[in-house]
Amino acid sequence: MSETPDLDLLAAEYVLGTLDGDEAAEAARLLATDTAFAAAVRGWEQRLAPLAAVVPPVPPPPGLWDRIAASTTAPTATPAPALTEAITATASAASASTMSASITSAASRSATTVGSATTATSAATSPAAAMTRPTTAVVVPLALRRRLRIWQASTAAALAIAASLAAFIVLRSPPPLDVAVLTPRTGEGPVLLATAEPNGALSVRPNGTIAVPNDRDLELWALAAGETRPRSLGVLPAAGGRLVVASLAPGTQLMVSLEPRGGSPTGQPTGPVLYAGQLAAVD
Amino acid sequence: MQTDPPPSALSPGADDTATLLQLCAGGDRTAFRALYDRWGARLHGIALRITQQTTLAADATHDAFLQVWREAHRFDPARGSAEAFLVSLARYRALDIVRRRAREVQGYEGDDRADETPDALTQLLGNAEGAALHRCLATLDAERRRLMVLAFVDGLSHSELAEKLRVPLGTVKSWIRRSLLSLRACLAANVELPQ
């Protein structure tokens, strides 16, 4: 573009929703990094929102509330959500177990590359136990986390493990999983492995210890392909966690930023992005 | 660990949207349900208009309410209206979905739905902000006004608008920018925006 960029106009076009490709990406970047731009966006939201009144209301399909209620029943759906070990809701329980089972199976094979076959195999029984539990407030112990701890390995080795894990998941049909390896922006330190199920369950685990200052929290963000602003998925414990989110499409960029305690006050990343990676479909 | 939801602090009279949002921020599920009852059809209508498909619209409405629940604490009545907060979320989520699909199917298939009539725009007159916007939209010529409505309400991008109106992309961009500038000037003269 040859003309002088007018940030307020860019904000207006962003709110209007007309930006294509590169411009949309630029607006998303500014929204995440520039508080003046974010304020301009808010201003335009206020100006233009009344125009939505021309659209007649249409009752949502029956059952949508139940879906929303189920999606928000997870403990992570609180205002400053922290990812936790627990996954609630009847619907999620079975598929969570299934996912756990796939991971375990994949792990039992790929673990041979790091010599932990015994541990991985012995853990393979736990998902079956989880599946027979009552379906209210099931806590998934996530043996994956322990296994990942075992995989304390260099970044390169972790990437190789993640790749072989992905390769094994490819061979197992249901449920299709999306995986992402979030690598450190600095190139050093542990990596995070993210696995997403079609029902919106997302697990994010580091393969090492992430040092987070006392007055800070890690926050997880999703930027879908074609989406123009990252969406907060919640505060991420340094040890990783599991949460239920709206389903994430392959190609979604996952990012972890360093934020003030409790998460970004603005709704957009305010601190440096420490980790990033893209979800890829492996079904 | 999930515990029982806290009892609702929603009093019978406390049903205005800003209050509901603030209660949602405190984890009040009764308020969340009340917000859905009150706004579900409006937001779904907005999403349906943009996505043009019931299933996609339901996904967008679902995602929007999920985000409302998760980010209600980010709503600040001192900085804007609750309506703008909700409408914006619904539009962004619906736009996310159609932009993703647009890439999959390569290109927007414009429909020939009747354009917004001046009658429809009178819907804006329900409150002060809407009335100001209505007044300012009236200062644009008819084609520019139609462009703004197509963009905002139908969620068409610059290139989709250019295709639909059969005008060069650069022309569409420049029309939109000029319209936005004149709206900004007109609104600034008319109302004090909350900031």
Side-chain angles (χ1 to χ4, degrees):
Chain A
M1 220 174 358
S2 57
E3 57 215 282
T4 319
D6 177 332
L7 284 189
D8 193 62
L9 259 187
L10 185 67
E13 292 171 308
Y14 173 79
V15 173
L16 194 59
T18 52
L19 297 177
D20 291 292
D22 290 351
E23 292 169 319
E26 170 66 2
R29 192 190 62 78
L30 283 168
L31 194 61
T33 55
D34 185 331
T35 51
F37 184 75
V41 165
R42 260 200 318 278
W44 278 104
E45 287 173 353
Q46 297 300 317
R47 289 184 186 97
L48 297 179
L51 199 44
V54 305
V55 185
V58 179
L64 185 63
W65 167 255
D66 290 342
R67 221 179 117 196
I68 291 168
S71 300
T72 53
T73 308
T76 53
T78 48
L83 311 185
T84 70
E85 296 297 312
I87 177 166
T88 352
T90 309
S92 316
S95 51
S97 307
T98 315
M99 171 180 153
S100 209
S102 324
I103 298 281
T104 302
S105 169
S108 65
R109 303 178 201 202
S110 57
T112 55
T113 58
V114 288
S116 311
T118 316
T119 318
T121 309
S122 67
T125 51
S126 62
M131 206 155 345
T132 59
R133 287 189 192 193
T135 50
T136 49
V138 170
V139 175
V140 177
L142 282 190
L144 174 61
R145 176 179 182 177
R146 254 167 275 130
R147 282 194 295 287
L148 279 171
R149 284 222 189 93
I150 292 162
W151 297 348
Q152 299 274 353
S154 71
T155 299
L159 285 170
I161 292 164
S164 63
L165 181 82
F168 270 103
I169 295 168
V170 172
L171 301 177
R172 307 180 53 84
S173 21
L177 291 178
D178 293 345
V179 300
V181 177
L182 280 65
T183 54
R185 281 298 176 84
T186 57
E188 299 171 0
V191 300
L192 293 156
L193 175 64
T195 49
E197 286 177 81
N199 72 352
L202 176 72
S203 163
V204 181
R205 304 285 164 188
N207 72 333
T209 306
I210 301 175
V212 180
N214 274 339
D215 57 342
R216 300 280 155 161
D217 270 328
L218 300 175
E219 189 162 357
L220 184 64
W221 305 88
L223 182 64
E227 197 168 307
T228 48
R229 55 200 248 168
R231 198 151 49 90
S232 172
L233 300 181
V235 169
L236 181 73
R242 176 179 174 81
L243 80 169
V244 177
V245 298
S247 61
L248 300 168
T252 297
Q253 188 83 14
L254 293 175
M255 293 169 286
V256 174
S257 67
L258 190 63
E259 299 293 339
R261 256 205 111 93
S264 162
T266 67
Q268 291 293 311
T270 60
V273 172
L274 302 179
Y275 297 90
Q278 198 169 33
L279 273 179
V282 292
D283 52 344
Chain B
M1 250 336 226
Q2 173 78 343
T3 52
D4 288 338
S8 176
L10 183 60
S11 68
D15 62 349
D16 74 279
T17 304
T19 307
L20 290 177
L21 276 171
Q22 287 167 322
L23 291 172
C24 284
D28 185 331
R29 296 191 68 84
T30 307
F32 186 44
R33 177 62 208 243
L35 194 70
Y36 179 82
D37 289 342
R38 192 177 169 129
W39 282 90
R42 282 252 356 241
L43 300 192
H44 188 66
I46 290 167
L48 185 61
R49 183 64 172 267
I50 291 175
T51 61
Q52 297 289 308
Q53 281 188 37
T54 308
T55 322
L56 297 182
D59 285 348
T61 308
H62 170 270
D63 291 357
F65 273 99
L66 217 60
Q67 196 176 3
V68 166
W69 177 247
R70 218 184 270 139
E71 299 185 5
H73 63 290
R74 287 179 175 140
F75 167 67
D76 178 357
R79 293 202 300 190
S81 76
E83 176 183 21
F85 181 82
L86 294 170
V87 163
S88 300
L89 283 184
R91 288 185 66 254
Y92 292 138
R93 298 291 71 85
L95 287 169
D96 290 346
I97 286 173
V98 291
R99 294 284 189 268
R100 259 199 314 261
R101 278 183 69 82
R103 253 211 276 289
E104 285 163 19
V105 300
Q106 288 302 318
Y108 168 79
E109 290 172 25
D111 62 9
D112 291 324
R113 195 189 324 98
D115 293 318
E116 226 54 65
T117 60
D119 231 27
L121 285 175
T122 60
Q123 297 296 319
L124 272 67
L125 297 172
N127 58 45
E129 293 80 12
L133 184 61
H134 185 263
R135 198 159 53 239
C136 291
L137 280 168
T139 67
L140 303 177
D141 68 45
E143 180 142 43
R144 309 284 164 89
R145 187 163 56 240
R146 179 169 170 238
L147 197 60
M148 296 298 290
V149 173
L150 278 173
F152 188 86
V153 173
D154 294 83
L156 301 194
S157 69
H158 282 143
S159 49
E160 289 164 342
L161 287 166
E163 201 175 309
K164 185 178 174 81
L165 303 182
R166 303 189 194 293
V167 289
L169 183 58
T171 307
V172 163
K173 286 188 184 179
S174 116
W175 281 356
I176 284 189
R177 286 184 187 153
R178 269 184 249 151
S179 302
L180 286 166
L181 286 175
S182 59
L183 282 184
R184 183 174 69 187
C186 175
L187 287 167
N190 270 287
V191 290
E192 291 286 45
L193 279 170
Q195 189 52 274

